[in-house]
Amino acid sequence: MPIKVLPPEVTSKIAAGEVVDRPASVVKELLENSLDAGATQITVEVQNGGVSLIRVTDNGNGLDARESEIAFLRHATSKISSLDDLEHINTLGFRGEALPSIASVAEVEMLTNKSSTTAAAYLRLENGEIVVKEKRSRPPGTTITARHLFRNFPARLKFLKSATTESGHIANVVSQYALAFPCVKFNLLVDGKVNLRTSGDGELRSTVSELYGLETAQKMLIVESSDNLIKLNGLTSPPAVQRSSRSYLSFFVNRRYVRNSLLARAVDTAYQGLLMTGRHPVVILNISIPPEEVDVNVHPTKIEVKFRNNNAVFMAVEKALRQTLEKAPLTAIQITADQEGQALSLWERAALATAALPVLRTL
């Protein structure tokens, strides 16, 4: 076949496929926009796993009529303006791909208002093109609705899981950002029913209580550590509070939710000898690091990051967690029955007790 330039309708679908791989990706991008806009209250509504409907409503800084139209142009962003800005990313979004990508694979409506003294701008888009443009009433903030996700992108639609599974992925995204921003009130409604609600009182332990239960929240240990480069803060569980998977490890880099194997290994090292093989702690950890020391532009979804100095980050996380465990009260590291109700064998109890001795001796 001869080399040719692909038509816009094809390139837009390719770009959208990189940013939006499932309904949870849409929710993530819209949440990040709301948080960057300074929202203190965010409501997420989904139906049929997000395929039929996704609606995100916030009270942040909205857009005026001109900006609302520009926002749906590819690479339109207010977050950066020059190449140097890529070295100092301080926002959750910056690529200018989210809204046009969502609009190319769903029917999208935006209702946004920048000022309480003016009318709100309303746009409806189909296939990425504005088909309705009106003025309506709305207090400052933004509501974005995406309907019929992937209807015109069947290759992606057929790979989605059940509505229950997709709703679970959405709930995880909302939960992670609720942990990253305990000062923001989050509400998640799934098929008309409240799935998640946080108080937004600014206390991380309150959010943990609302997500994981009061008993777990009360047992969590405070993590605080700082050096010239890296500052860590959050909560971590004592060995008595454990889980059977790593899904309760929540890492944030400058409050951006990330998945990073280096950070998971640092946790494993810190808890080595305190947990049985296959058991994992509950960790909520924010890593504050100068923006130039981390590259957040390595993946279209921005959920993966690269550190300039992997060893420094690894050591900072491992040391902070280990010191937290060493300073914990004796009652916090007592060896107890399995948290899922299965009693440990006598041999397993002895092995755990022996492994915990180095920590016990420091108390």
Side-chain angles (χ1 to χ4, degrees):
M1 294 178 62
I3 295 176
K4 59 183 178 181
V5 177
L6 292 173
E9 61 268 22
V10 176
T11 58
S12 66
K13 294 293 188 300
I14 294 173
E18 294 177 340
V19 177
V20 181
D21 62 346
R22 66 191 328 150
S25 302
V26 175
V27 173
K28 177 180 179 293
E29 296 292 345
L30 296 181
L31 278 182
E32 290 177 347
N33 281 348
S34 294
L35 292 166
D36 279 342
T40 59
Q41 295 184 28
I42 302 175
T43 297
V44 180
E45 303 170 66
V46 299
Q47 294 178 8
N48 189 28
V51 175
S52 298
L53 173 77
I54 295 173
R55 178 178 291 123
V56 177
T57 303
D58 68 52
N59 65 344
N61 299 316
L63 305 174
D64 60 30
R66 182 184 67 86
E67 290 175 318
S68 66
E69 295 184 43
I70 296 175
F72 285 97
L73 300 178
R74 195 163 298 281
H75 306 306
T77 179
S78 62
K79 316 296 175 62
I80 61 174
S81 59
S82 68
L83 188 60
D84 290 340
D85 291 340
L86 288 176
E87 296 289 328
H88 305 89
I89 300 295
N90 290 304
T91 58
L92 298 176
F94 60 93
R95 299 169 66 100
E97 295 178 315
L99 290 181
S101 293
I102 295 169
S104 69
V105 294
E107 296 175 11
V108 173
E109 297 175 53
M110 172 190 274
L111 182 61
T112 181
N113 196 356
K114 195 170 187 176
S115 170
S116 58
T117 61
T118 59
Y122 171 81
L123 300 176
R124 184 162 67 86
L125 295 90
E126 295 179 1
N127 296 317
E129 300 293 330
I130 298 174
V131 295
V132 176
K133 182 167 55 174
E134 300 174 348
K135 289 185 178 181
R136 294 187 178 182
S137 176
R138 190 203 191 283
T142 300
T143 299
I144 295 183
T145 304
R147 291 188 171 90
H148 310 305
L149 187 65
F150 299 136
R151 172 185 280 183
N152 58 351
F153 201 175
R156 182 55 56 85
L157 184 62
K158 69 180 181 180
F159 282 98
L160 296 182
K161 304 300 182 183
S162 67
T164 300
T165 299
E166 296 300 336
S167 294
H169 285 290
I170 291 171
N172 180 62
V173 169
V174 178
S175 297
Q176 296 302 331
Y177 275 110
L179 291 169
F181 292 83
C183 56
V184 176
K185 182 178 181 180
F186 288 87
N187 291 288
L188 172 61
L189 286 79
V190 177
D191 296 324
K193 298 180 180 179
V194 177
N195 180 279
L196 170 68
R197 176 172 291 159
T198 65
S199 63
D201 64 2
E203 295 293 331
L204 178 56
R205 200 179 295 272
S206 296
T207 305
V208 173
S209 177
E210 289 152 347
L211 295 178
Y212 301 152
L214 178 60
E215 183 179 358
T216 296
Q218 290 176 333
K219 293 179 179 179
M220 297 292 284
L221 308 173
I222 297 174
V223 180
E224 285 185 341
S225 177
S226 180
D227 59 25
N228 294 331
L229 185 68
I230 303 169
K231 180 180 179 181
L232 304 171
N233 65 282
L235 296 171
T236 194
S237 66
V241 178
Q242 51 187 265
R243 298 293 186 267
S244 59
S245 75
R246 288 191 173 92
S247 60
Y248 289 83
L249 302 183
S250 298
F251 301 117
F252 309 98
V253 176
N254 297 332
R255 302 180 88 178
R256 177 191 301 278
Y257 171 50
V258 301
R259 289 197 297 261
N260 186 277
S261 59
L262 174 81
L263 301 177
R265 289 199 305 272
V267 171
D268 289 342
T269 302
Y271 279 82
Q272 188 172 9
L274 299 178
L275 298 175
M276 291 186 302
T277 302
R279 307 299 295 179
H280 306 279
V282 178
V283 178
I284 302 104
L285 194 63
N286 182 61
I287 302 160
S288 298
I289 187 171
E292 60 271 19
E293 294 294 323
V294 57
D295 186 357
V296 299
N297 195 29
V298 297
H299 193 276
T301 64
K302 309 182 298 295
I303 200 168
E304 298 177 12
V305 297
K306 284 187 177 180
F307 298 107
R308 178 170 294 179
N309 190 335
N310 282 337
N311 188 58
V313 175
F314 181 95
M315 294 299 294
V317 172
E318 190 273 337
K319 180 180 178 182
L321 294 177
R322 177 63 73 171
Q323 289 181 341
T324 299
L325 292 170
E326 290 175 351
K327 295 176 182 178
L330 179 60
T331 55
I333 61 170
Q334 287 176 342
I335 306 304
T336 66
D338 187 295
Q339 293 299 300
E340 293 181 352
Q342 297 178 351
L344 302 177
S345 70
L346 202 58
W347 181 88
E348 290 170 329
R349 287 176 182 272
L352 279 173
T354 301
L357 281 177
V359 175
L360 292 172
R361 290 194 185 106
T362 65
L363 301 175

